[in-house]
Structures are given as C-alpha cells and as structure tokens.
Amino acid sequence: MRIVMVGTGYVGLVSGACFAELGHDVTCVDKDADKIAALEKNIMPIFEPGLADVVAKNVEAGRLRFTTSLKETAENAEVIFIAVGTPSLRGDGYADLKYVYEAAREIAPLLSRSTVVVTKSTVPVGTGDEIEDILKNNAAHQEFAVVSNPEFLREGAALYDFMKPDRIVIGTEDEQARAIMKKLYERLPHHDELLMFTDRRTSELIKYAANAFLAMKVTFINEIADLCEEIDANVQEVSRGIGLDHRIGTKFLQAGPGIGGSCFPKDTRALMRIAQNAKAPLRLVETVVAANEARKNRMLDKIVRAFGDVKGKRVAVFGLTFKPDTDDLREAISLSIIPGLVALGADIIAYDPQGMEHAQAFFTDLKLAKDSYDCAANADGVVVLTEWKEFRELDLKRIKEKMRQPLVADLRNVFDPQEMRALGFVYNSIGRR
C-alpha cells in the first residue's frame, strides 16, 4: 500500500520504517530540510536500537523515501498518517494541537482519491472530529475517512513493540477504512488476534488511559519505596511479591525518582485536563501528577541528605536521559536534579552513554565527561539518575579509587547494597535498607 507519514519524529520515523519493513511503499515527510537531508544519508535524528539498519535496508529496497514536499506524495497516497508532535500547551497540561491541525489543513487540498487519514500522534478525545471537519471544509475530493490508530511504542524497544505488539487499536466505524487498516497490518504475525476495532473517540481515550494507568503503577511503587525506607523494608522484594500476582504483573514496578519522558508526564496532565473540562475529574490521575511533581524535590532532598551538604562539592552524575536505550532528555529527572544541585552550590560533571549530544540544549555550561571513570575522578560523590546497562557493568573498585569520597546516591537501584558496603562505599538507594 502507498503510505505517507507526516512527521519524522519518534513516532513517525519508527512507524514509517516498520511499515516499509512490512512491505508497504512509504514516504516520510517533514518540513525540516536538514533532518530530511540527514535521513537520506542514514543519519538518524534519534537514538533507537536497530532503527538505522531498518531504515537503510528499506531505502535500499526502494520501499522508504524522505521528502519535504507533501504535495509530491499525498495525492496518490492510500493512507496518510499524521505523526507530528503534540507537546503540552503553555505548561497548563492541554495538548498543543496546532501541528496536527496544520497538517490536516495541508493534507486537505491534496486529496484526489479515496484516502484514509490516520492520527498516530497522541491526541485528546474529539481531535479526529476536528480533523474531519477541517478536511470536509477544505478538501475538493470528499471520499476520505479519518481514523485513530494510537501508537504504543516504548523508547529503546520501539521496533520490537511495532513488529510484536500487544494490540493494535483502530478507531473507525467506516467499513472501507476498517478493511484498509486491516490490510495495512496483515503481514504482522497473528494480526487478526491483535486488531481491536472501536469507535474513534474510544480509541483516542485508550492511549491516554493506558499511559495514565502505567504512570499510576510507577507512582504507586515509588510511594511504597518511601514507606519501605521509613519502616526498614525492601521495595524490590515488595515489587516482586506483588508482581508475581498475574492480576498485577511485574512491569512498571521498579522504584525510582519518578516518571519522565515525552509521554507519561504529558499524557497524564492532558488526561487530567480533559476530565476536568468534561466535569468528570479523575482524582487518581490528579494525584499521580501532583505526586510526580513533589517527588522531584524529594529526590533532591535525598541527595543533599546523603552528601550532608553539596556546596562546593564535586558531584558526578551518571545518566541524563529519562531512561536507558534512548537519547531523549524530555522530562528527565536530570532536568530537575542538576539545576537544583547547582543552585545549592554543587560543581556538576555528568556522563550519559547517548544523551551527551542533546544535553547542551537543556543545560547551560554543563561539564561532560568522556566516560563513567572520567566522570567519577575526584568526585565527592556519584548520583545515578539513569539505569544504563553500562553502569551495572562498571568496575566499582576502579570507580572508588578515582573518587575523592566513596559516596553513591543511587536513584535507580542499579547496584547491590551488600556489594557496595563490602567495597567500602557509603551507599544510598531507593526503598532499600
């Protein structure tokens, strides 16, 4: 099938590459000429394991192309995906849909045949209705259907999640659109079992509800971790004990400094605002949003208590990204912790396996180390903010030898407390003795 993907951000690029991998003819469109030029040279704008290989393979096979011109591709497309960004608007929680609606207005006059227009971007309930109105009012060719097909991609495992999904949610009551969307995914193993058809508004809500629920799990175990620290219990054993219950499951029960990234914080705030506006407030989601904000200060206080006082001390930060296997710093805990420590007089040096290139866009004059050992050299303490596998495999004796003081504040429970004590570290972690 002939597919156009509008937007080459995380969702658009991964989805476009994977649809090409399934054998479709895909053109990814973006207004950023530099990004398109880089993609044509197989230079990825994001770090995602395996993505560059899939892109290169399908470009070579002639199934995947990149362009800045929507007009050249949209007229003959059978399916057009809108996969542009929907950031929070003015920080008030509402999703900013200007890029989505702008894309719809640009698509409208280019429709020349029966076309399915699909929202891949995470959008509030009712956005599909607005897109449909834009197309009706601006499209010369009126044979189209607007469909919701939310993504459920984890950064760092996006290719796996696309090719082996838990479910494929499709929101449409148009029978022709339903058949086209089914054909789009038919090369996925067991696609008939994975496809879930519903109405468009329900599909839009499923995405928000899923992310909010997972954010609640993370927030719940973080608060249990706080309780564990007060009553001398072990949150990792609590997590395992409750996660073995198949009704609960083990995923998203790892205690840490709070939720981050481009999805959970934004989507929980957006869902909270949607519910408030509908006069059906979601008290649990409101609590998640408030608890996650409060946790940032709690984590800063935890670090300061571990050091006693950070003023004038050299603090080595291990990890800048919001999670491992990505270069994404959006809503990362580092964005709160590092400025907080600097304000208290700490001298910060940081290292991240993939986030260094983007760090300068978020921090002013942040000193960056070439590796973990360089970062730890002459440090009065290490703060672990991201659970990269690389950190788990460090030679801890060598780390200790390089440090001025063997102090570690581990906000991701990367290291084993008994091993750290045996090596002579003063070790602080989350929810453990």
Side-chain angles (χ1 to χ4, degrees):
M1 299 184 71
R2 294 184 300 278
I3 299 171
V4 170
M5 189 70 61
V6 182
T8 59
Y10 199 91
V11 174
L13 183 55
V14 171
S15 298
C18 288
F19 277 126
E21 183 73 4
L22 292 177
H24 299 294
D25 183 275
V26 181
T27 302
C28 293
V29 182
D30 201 293
K31 291 184 175 182
D32 189 333
D34 291 337
K35 182 188 284 188
I36 293 299
L39 284 167
E40 288 177 334
K41 297 175 184 176
N42 203 42
I43 300 172
M44 299 297 105
I46 57 173
F47 173 75
E48 177 63 34
L51 179 60
D53 292 337
V54 174
V55 169
K57 172 186 173 184
N58 286 282
V59 168
E60 184 178 354
R63 292 189 296 266
L64 181 62
R65 290 169 296 281
F66 301 99
T67 182
T68 58
S69 176
L70 181 60
K71 187 177 188 304
E72 290 179 4
T73 59
E75 291 177 342
N76 295 314
E78 297 170 83
V79 183
I80 301 176
F81 282 92
I82 297 176
V84 296
T86 55
S88 293
L89 177 61
R90 300 186 307 274
D92 63 2
Y94 286 103
D96 185 352
L97 298 174
K98 65 182 178 183
Y99 302 116
V100 172
Y101 294 148
E102 182 180 318
R105 282 189 287 270
E106 291 183 13
I107 290 167
L110 302 177
L111 298 180
S112 60
R113 50 163 293 153
S114 180
T115 311
V116 177
V117 178
V118 186
T119 53
K120 262 292 181 195
S121 305
T122 300
V123 295
V125 177
T127 301
D129 299 348
E130 293 292 331
I131 293 172
E132 188 170 74
D133 287 343
I134 290 171
L135 297 182
K136 283 180 179 178
N137 294 330
N138 296 278
H141 191 86
Q142 290 291 316
E143 290 185 30
F144 62 82
V146 177
V147 174
S148 168
N149 178 213
E151 54 83 19
F152 300 97
L153 306 178
R154 295 169 298 162
E155 293 191 34
L159 297 179
Y160 178 89
D161 288 345
F162 189 100
M163 303 306 286
K164 295 185 177 180
D166 295 321
R167 76 288 203 199
I168 302 166
V169 177
I170 297 172
T172 182
E173 295 178 89
D174 183 293
E175 287 302 318
Q176 185 176 355
R178 179 180 174 131
I180 289 172
M181 295 302 294
K182 185 174 182 180
K183 185 178 179 182
L184 200 62
Y185 286 103
E186 67 183 1
R187 293 191 179 180
L188 284 178
H190 312 295
H191 72 281
D192 281 331
E193 301 169 18
L194 298 169
L195 288 168
M196 174 186 171
F197 287 97
T198 184
D199 64 272
R200 195 166 58 206
R201 283 179 164 246
T202 300
S203 174
E204 291 168 339
L205 183 56
I206 285 170
K207 170 65 177 181
Y208 276 120
N211 280 358
F213 186 83
L214 294 175
M216 282 194 293
K217 284 188 75 172
V218 175
T219 303
F220 172 80
I221 203 63
N222 284 342
E223 295 200 335
I224 290 294
D226 294 341
L227 176 60
C228 285
E229 291 180 7
E230 298 301 323
I231 64 172
D232 196 24
N234 188 320
V235 71
Q236 289 183 313
E237 293 176 9
V238 173
S239 296
R240 183 168 181 268
I242 64 176
L244 289 172
D245 185 328
H246 69 275
R247 297 170 300 175
I248 297 173
T250 59
K251 294 181 179 179
F252 291 88
L253 284 178
Q254 290 72 47
I259 57 176
S262 63
C263 293
F264 284 6
K266 174 175 68 73
D267 293 351
T268 50
R269 288 193 296 263
L271 181 59
M272 179 181 74
R273 296 302 185 195
I274 290 168
Q276 290 172 344
N277 192 49
K279 305 265 190 294
L282 300 173
R283 300 304 185 199
L284 284 174
V285 176
E286 291 175 359
T287 300
V288 167
V289 172
N292 196 56
E293 284 301 309
R295 192 158 188 81
K296 296 174 184 178
N297 289 331
R298 185 180 181 91
M299 293 297 99
L300 181 60
D301 291 343
K302 184 179 183 69
I303 294 167
V304 172
R305 287 197 306 272
F307 277 78
D309 183 7
V310 296
K311 187 175 182 179
K313 292 184 178 178
R314 186 176 179 85
V315 179
V317 173
F318 284 10
L320 296 171
T321 56
F322 85 95
K323 63 179 286 189
D325 295 322
T326 181
D327 58 357
D328 195 346
L329 273 74
R330 288 174 291 179
E331 297 274 0
I333 190 64
S334 62
L335 302 184
S336 298
I337 295 298
I338 290 176
L341 292 173
V342 170
L344 293 171
D347 175 29
I348 305 293
I349 184 168
Y351 168 71
D352 188 282
Q354 291 294 335
M356 310 267 269
E357 185 176 340
H358 298 300
Q360 299 303 334
F362 292 90
F363 300 102
T364 302
D365 300 325
L366 178 63
K367 287 180 285 190
L368 299 173
K370 64 182 181 181
D371 58 33
S372 301
Y373 301 103
D374 180 46
C375 190
N378 298 313
D380 292 297
V382 167
V383 176
V384 182
L385 298 184
T386 315
E387 65 276 32
W388 283 94
K389 182 182 178 183
E390 178 179 321
F391 299 153
R392 300 182 188 278
E393 297 172 348
L394 290 172
D395 181 340
L396 294 174
K397 290 180 68 175
R398 183 180 169 194
I399 289 288
K400 183 187 174 189
E401 289 169 359
K402 285 186 169 290
M403 295 175 68
R404 192 152 49 207
Q405 300 290 335
L407 170 67
V408 175
D410 182 0
L411 302 191
R412 295 290 185 176
N413 289 350
V414 168
F415 304 119
D416 177 75
Q418 292 185 350
E419 180 184 5
M420 295 297 282
R421 282 196 299 271
L423 288 171
F425 283 96
V426 177
Y427 181 66
N428 296 265
S429 59
I430 300 290
R432 301 189 294 183
R433 300 184 184 92

